[in-house]
Amino acid sequence: MMFCAFLGSCLVPFAYLTVLELSKSLPAALLTAFILIFDTGCITLSQYILLDPILMFFLMGAVLSMVKCNSCADRPFSASWWFWLSLTGVNLAGAMGVKFVGLFVVLLVGLNTIYDLWDLLGNLSLSLVMFGKHLLARVLCLIVLPLALYTAMFAVHFAVLNKSGPGDGFFSSAFQSQLIGNNLHNVSIPEHLAYGSVITMKNLRMAGGYLHSHWHLYPEGIGARQQQVTAYLHKDLNNLWIIKKHDSDTADLSDPLSPVEFVRHGDIIRLEHKETSRNLHSHQHEAPLTRKHFQVTGYGINGTGDSNDFWRIEVVGRKTGKLIKVLRSQIRLIHVATGCILGSSGKTLPKWGWEQVEVTCTPYLKETPNSLWNFEDHINPKLPNISLDVLKPSFAEILLESHMVMIRGNSGLKPKDNEVTSKPWHWPINYQGLRFSGVNETDYRVYLLGNPVIWWLNLVTMGLYFLITVCTAVALKRGVQLTYELKELSGVVLRGGGQITLGWLLHYLPFFMMGRVLYFHHYFPAMLFSSMLTGITWDSLLKFCAGFLSPSTTARKVYGGVFLALVLLILYSFYLFHPLSYGMIGPMASDPSSPMAGLRWMDSWEF
């Protein structure tokens, strides 16, 4: 907790130094610092063990380093220039290593770098050899260095976190074989599949899950009311199936004296669910979620079903009659009656399907990972065992697979029961907070909500900045003669404010295109940029207005008075709302006797 609090507190000096570098104005930097110091939302996030303060630390570190490096443009390849350029790369690696949202600041630095290089290319006094050195320096510090650090972080991650856990099923069999405590780690199993074996089947798409069934039936109106068959991402006894011949029982194969009969490419088989004794079955009823796919169910009693339980097993790239290898053979199950292929659609079933993954039988014969499986667990006491060391994946394969699993898991996140989610348009207006602890009068309640005055000031400033930018750009385009001071101010507004605005846009707009569940705290990286823009915009606006006042003492009084009013307003708002961050006890805000009574300025606030 202290670590996160320390990183959260570093956001203030980082933002202060960034604004000071961009605007060369102490009041602008101080106003930005005041905003972040007295924002209840930033305080709340920083006092919990969360990823957000760590992410924002590296994000602001990258922005500060980028701005400092830009200020050294007149002395390239100096010690300070190399230091800030390298530190930018280090911070980019840190931001990417915390959350995928760190890619937004990578894009910001990338666009800034492209602009710099394009500007250098237009400098005719710079030779192409020197331009090549500039390009190589940025490739080394902003691409090679971050990637090397990022990869090294995952190398340490894999070395330290090398034990099995409840999420093993998200990964491939080869990945799991490296995890200490996993049933595939340092284990020996029979190499070739035989009739009578108890097996598990894993789908080959990333986080595809194990073929699974349970006693629950499909609900009324969802195909035939038969036993559900799904793909489940965790190890479970309901993942176990018995391989049988299509035209006979396997009771005689359990006799230790009976000969072993191997399953071969092209065989017609039945799969009986070990726990429920029902066969893997399909028919021409439509699948629950995927249109034009057929439903897959568990059917029959004690292994006795009908011809819709027959599947032809095929191994990718093998000839008829060849044996099937556990773990290494990629197989397809083709339904004999309909010709469809067993597969995992990747879609999550509703609550009646326990939010497991839909399994269908697709009539489209295109070969994809969704329709490919491998046999993972294999239990048959009559067969000799082999070691799984031959399956050891390379570091590159582990790195790629872990990222694919993270991306799929992140994009598939759904809200839990009674969980408060939000939409991106809610965030800038501080429409709805997020309850961190406590739900009633007797609880110690902490509520994540931004300081209303600060957030609404930031929102107003966005519109104000757009208006100022348009007016400044039009004035410069029309050749209006500006004084030296106004030219300096226009440069701050267009260049410094423009960089900050671009950062805000990159950290806010992408959320409108995301399909995953979103929360209020996702806006806080963008909020850092809007707070810095507030400092720059109000400083520039007041200096511009003060330029029309005389004498200079009057201008300074107006400038200082407005700044003081803004700071006092922020402080008073913090005084009113600080219990949201530090904890509230007693009656809820809706009770007139509550110390927070009258502070629910929006009905959507739930403290």
Side-chain angles (χ1 to χ4, degrees):
M1 186 179 291
M2 289 180 63
F3 176 70
C4 290
F6 170 73
L7 297 186
S9 65
C10 289
L11 300 178
V12 176
F14 283 2
Y16 170 87
L17 293 172
T18 300
V19 172
L20 187 63
E21 193 64 50
L22 290 172
S23 66
K24 307 299 181 185
S25 170
L26 182 62
L30 286 173
L31 179 59
T32 301
F34 268 107
I35 287 173
L36 295 183
I37 289 172
F38 295 107
D39 180 60
T40 50
C42 288
I43 293 172
T44 304
L45 277 183
S46 299
Q47 65 187 5
Y48 284 87
I49 303 174
L50 299 170
L51 291 176
D52 299 271
I54 308 173
L55 170 68
M56 292 191 290
F57 171 84
F58 285 114
L59 184 155
M60 286 302 300
V63 173
L64 174 60
S65 303
M66 177 188 74
V67 170
K68 285 286 190 180
C69 184
N70 289 343
S71 69
C72 298
D74 58 339
R75 48 187 190 281
F77 306 109
S78 63
S80 59
W81 186 86
W82 277 111
F83 172 77
W84 290 113
L85 188 64
S86 301
L87 191 58
T88 304
V90 171
N91 281 302
L92 291 180
M96 287 191 300
V98 177
K99 278 187 176 184
F100 285 136
V101 175
L103 290 172
F104 299 152
V105 76
V106 173
L107 185 57
L108 175 64
V109 173
L111 292 173
N112 176 78
T113 303
I114 291 171
Y115 176 83
D116 283 346
L117 289 173
W118 185 252
D119 190 50
L120 289 171
L121 189 61
N123 184 356
L124 299 182
S125 64
L126 195 70
S127 68
L128 288 178
V129 173
M130 186 57 68
F131 175 79
K133 290 181 179 179
H134 275 276
L135 176 61
L136 183 60
R138 285 161 173 80
V139 168
L140 288 174
C141 293
L142 300 180
I143 298 178
V144 176
L145 178 61
L147 286 178
L149 291 174
Y150 184 78
T151 305
M153 283 189 281
F154 271 89
V156 173
H157 173 85
F158 294 140
V160 174
L161 300 178
N162 58 355
K163 292 183 171 59
S164 177
D168 289 1
F170 287 89
F171 296 91
S172 68
S173 306
F175 191 106
Q176 293 181 50
S177 68
Q178 306 303 303
L179 300 175
I180 299 171
N182 188 279
N183 63 321
L184 295 177
H185 181 69
N186 287 340
V187 74
S188 296
I189 61 174
E191 180 179 15
H192 293 109
L193 204 63
Y195 289 106
S197 295
V198 177
I199 54 92
T200 59
M201 285 177 55
K202 193 171 193 309
N203 191 256
L204 292 189
R205 85 186 290 271
M206 289 292 178
Y210 296 94
L211 187 66
H212 177 97
S213 188
H214 40 236
W215 286 105
H216 302 277
L217 306 181
Y218 286 101
E220 289 285 351
I222 307 294
R225 189 164 169 76
Q226 297 174 7
Q227 186 168 295
Q228 296 176 17
V229 172
T230 64
Y232 188 46
L233 293 169
H234 303 280
K235 303 278 188 176
D236 191 275
L237 290 177
N238 281 323
N239 300 339
L240 296 175
W241 301 80
I242 304 170
I243 296 186
K244 294 185 172 185
K245 292 183 176 182
H246 75 286
D247 56 356
S248 65
D249 194 16
T250 53
D252 56 329
L253 295 177
S254 62
D255 183 356
L257 299 178
S258 64
V260 173
E261 188 170 349
F262 290 104
V263 182
R264 298 178 183 273
H265 172 90
D267 281 4
I268 307 297
I269 66 167
R270 281 185 294 146
L271 283 178
E272 180 186 316
H273 190 239
K274 190 173 186 299
E275 290 295 307
T276 62
S277 298
R278 286 180 173 161
N279 295 330
L280 185 69
H281 177 98
S282 187
H283 42 224
Q284 292 188 347
H285 291 274
E286 193 170 71
L289 302 179
T290 308
R291 297 186 63 186
K292 298 184 179 179
H293 284 210
F294 299 145
Q295 182 187 34
V296 177
T297 68
Y299 179 75
I301 300 174
N302 294 325
T304 301
D306 60 22
S307 60
N308 280 331
D309 304 338
F310 299 162
W311 302 83
R312 184 170 67 254
I313 186 168
E314 293 185 353
V315 183
V316 176
R318 300 297 292 274
K319 295 181 180 179
T320 302
K322 293 294 184 180
L323 297 181
I324 297 171
K325 294 183 177 181
V326 175
L327 293 171
R328 283 177 283 183
S329 291
Q330 297 182 6
I331 65 107
R332 290 177 301 183
L333 287 182
I334 300 176
H335 192 239
V336 174
T338 62
C340 61
I341 300 176
L342 184 73
S344 167
S345 69
K347 299 176 182 178
T348 303
L349 293 167
K351 292 187 183 302
W352 57 256
W354 304 94
E355 297 184 345
Q356 296 173 12
V357 180
E358 180 192 38
V359 168
T360 69
C361 198
T362 171
Y364 306 108
L365 304 183
K366 184 179 178 181
E367 189 175 293
T368 65
N370 295 51
S371 60
L372 295 178
W373 306 78
N374 72 284
F375 294 102
E376 186 172 287
D377 296 287
H378 184 209
I379 304 167
N380 194 320
K382 294 194 292 183
L383 295 174
N385 295 330
I386 63 162
S387 173
L388 293 184
D389 289 341
V390 295
L391 293 173
K392 184 177 181 180
S394 66
F395 173 75
E397 290 172 329
I398 292 175
L399 185 66
L400 177 62
E401 181 177 345
S402 63
H403 279 72
M404 293 300 293
V405 170
M406 285 190 290
I407 291 170
R408 186 179 184 277
N410 186 63
S411 62
L413 288 175
K414 291 191 173 183
K416 303 179 180 69
D417 290 337
N418 301 318
E419 190 173 38
V420 178
T421 62
S422 60
K423 297 178 181 179
W425 68 266
H426 291 171
W427 303 338
I429 62 175
N430 216 21
Y431 178 77
Q432 187 177 41
L434 192 62
R435 186 181 295 113
F436 267 38
S437 66
V439 293
N440 53 49
E441 295 184 6
T442 59
D443 291 336
Y444 185 75
R445 304 187 302 277
V446 174
Y447 189 73
L448 177 65
L449 187 75
N451 184 325
V453 167
I454 289 174
W455 284 57
W456 294 339
L457 178 65
N458 287 348
L459 185 62
V460 170
T461 303
M462 282 290 173
L464 194 60
Y465 173 78
F466 177 75
L467 182 63
I468 293 172
T469 302
V470 171
C471 293
T472 303
V474 169
L476 292 174
K477 194 69 175 177
R478 296 295 298 172
V480 176
Q481 295 300 314
L482 302 176
T483 64
Y484 175 78
E485 291 78 7
L486 289 180
K487 284 183 179 178
E488 288 292 308
L489 279 179
S490 66
V492 169
V493 169
L494 295 178
R495 288 193 297 273
Q499 279 185 306
I500 298 301
T501 303
L502 179 61
W504 178 77
L505 291 172
L506 290 175
H507 285 81
Y508 178 49
L509 294 184
F511 288 102
F512 285 93
M513 296 175 281
M514 292 186 184
R516 57 152 289 173
V517 60
L518 298 172
Y519 302 99
F520 178 48
H521 65 81
H522 285 133
Y523 182 70
F524 276 81
M527 181 267 178
L528 297 176
F529 288 98
S530 65
S531 298
M532 289 189 288
L533 186 65
T534 296
I536 292 174
T537 301
W538 280 95
D539 176 69
S540 301
L541 178 64
L542 291 175
K543 283 180 178 176
F544 176 78
C545 295
F548 292 98
L549 298 176
S550 59
S552 59
T553 52
T554 303
R556 285 197 297 270
K557 286 180 180 178
V558 171
Y559 179 87
V562 174
F563 254 86
L564 182 61
L566 287 174
V567 170
L568 291 176
L569 193 60
I570 290 169
L571 285 171
Y572 181 65
S573 180
F574 176 75
Y575 167 74
L576 293 177
F577 288 94
H578 76 274
L580 299 180
S581 297
Y582 298 111
M584 301 168 283
I585 54 174
M588 306 293 279
S590 55
D591 190 324
S593 62
S594 170
M596 302 300 291
L599 294 179
R600 283 191 66 197
W601 296 349
M602 297 182 73
D603 291 336
S604 52
W605 295 351
E606 299 175 330
F607 55 79

